[in-house]
Amino acid sequence: MKDKLDIGCGRTKDPQFTGIDIHGWPGVDIVWDLEKFPWPIEDNTFSYIKAIHVVEHINDQVGFFREIHRVAANNAIVHLETPHFSSRDSWADPTHVRHMSLFFTDQMTGNGYLVDATGEFELVGRRVNFGPLLGSLRARLISKFIGYEKWERSAFRMPARNIYIDLKVIK
C-alpha cells in the first residue's frame, strides 16, 4: 500500500496513490462505502490524503473525518476540494448532501467542539477559487481587503466556485 490516499479516487486515480471509492472502477484499490465505518485500512497508514469533490457527498461528516484522522499518520497533510456553497456546482448535483463554507473544518481544529469526536486537525491553509479569467484577481482582492469571513456573509452576490483546504493531522 502506498503512503498517499486518494479518497473517492474515481476512474482517474494517480498511480502514486492508494485509491478508495464506492465504485470498483479499474485502478481503484479499495472498493468501499465511505460512510461505512471503520474503513478497511490500518491506523496511521498515510502521510498525505486527498479528497477531491468528495466531502459534499458525505452525510456523516464527523465519522468521515474521524476515519481520515485514524488512517492518517501524525502530521499527515489532508487536502480537500469542494464546491463553495455559493457555487452553482454545489446545488446542481443531486448527489450533493452538503453545501460547504470555507470555514467548515474550523470546529475540528484547536478548541473546536468537534475535536473530541473527529480527532484534531490544524489548519495549514484555505483559499477560494472564483473561476477563470478574473477569478484569481477577485480572490486576492477579497482576501486582502475585506477578508473571506466578511465576503462569505454575502457570498451569493459574488459567488465562488471551489474551496481548497489543507489540514495537518495532530495526534
Side-chain angles (χ1 to χ4, degrees):
M1 195 171 290
K2 299 172 180 71
D3 76 333
K4 295 186 223 176
L5 179 64
D6 185 349
I7 299 173
C9 62
R11 301 171 196 240
T12 58
K13 182 187 73 96
D14 183 324
Q16 295 180 4
F17 284 77
T18 298
I20 185 170
D21 199 292
I22 196 168
H23 302 289
W25 289 312
V28 174
D29 301 295
I30 304 166
V31 178
W32 195 259
D33 180 346
L34 294 170
E35 293 196 85
K36 183 178 175 191
F37 310 120
W39 298 343
I41 300 171
E42 291 184 31
D43 296 359
N44 307 307
T45 301
F46 300 102
S47 64
Y48 182 84
I49 297 173
K50 67 179 179 176
I52 312 297
H53 292 276
V54 175
V55 297
E56 66 273 16
H57 297 272
I58 303 296
N59 281 299
D60 186 351
Q61 295 285 311
V62 171
F64 181 76
F65 280 97
R66 183 175 46 245
E67 282 302 287
I68 288 175
H69 193 276
R70 182 185 67 78
V71 302
N74 187 38
N75 295 318
I77 297 297
V78 179
H79 177 73
L80 307 167
E81 295 182 21
T82 185
H84 185 266
F85 70 78
S86 67
S87 171
R88 179 194 166 282
D89 295 338
S90 183
W91 300 92
D93 185 337
T95 66
H96 290 179
V97 296
R98 298 273 184 252
H99 304 281
M100 313 309 264
S101 161
L102 184 58
F103 303 94
F104 85 93
T105 60
D106 284 6
Q107 295 306 322
M108 296 177 264
T109 64
N111 292 320
Y113 76 95
L114 290 177
V115 168
D116 290 340
T118 61
E120 185 176 357
F121 297 87
E122 177 184 310
L123 179 66
V124 174
R126 62 177 142 216
R127 67 184 179 87
V128 176
N129 174 303
F130 287 90
L133 302 174
L134 297 175
S136 64
L137 175 61
R138 186 181 295 165
R140 285 196 303 269
L141 291 172
I142 286 172
S143 66
K144 183 173 183 175
F145 293 109
I146 67 169
Y148 285 134
E149 228 173 285
K150 189 172 181 182
W151 159 76
E152 199 168 61
R153 288 188 207 122
S154 59
F156 286 108
R157 291 185 190 153
M158 190 184 322
R161 187 146 188 206
N162 293 312
I163 57 179
Y164 308 91
I165 299 174
D166 290 311
L167 303 170
K168 181 166 74 170
V169 174
I170 307 298
K171 291 193 176 186

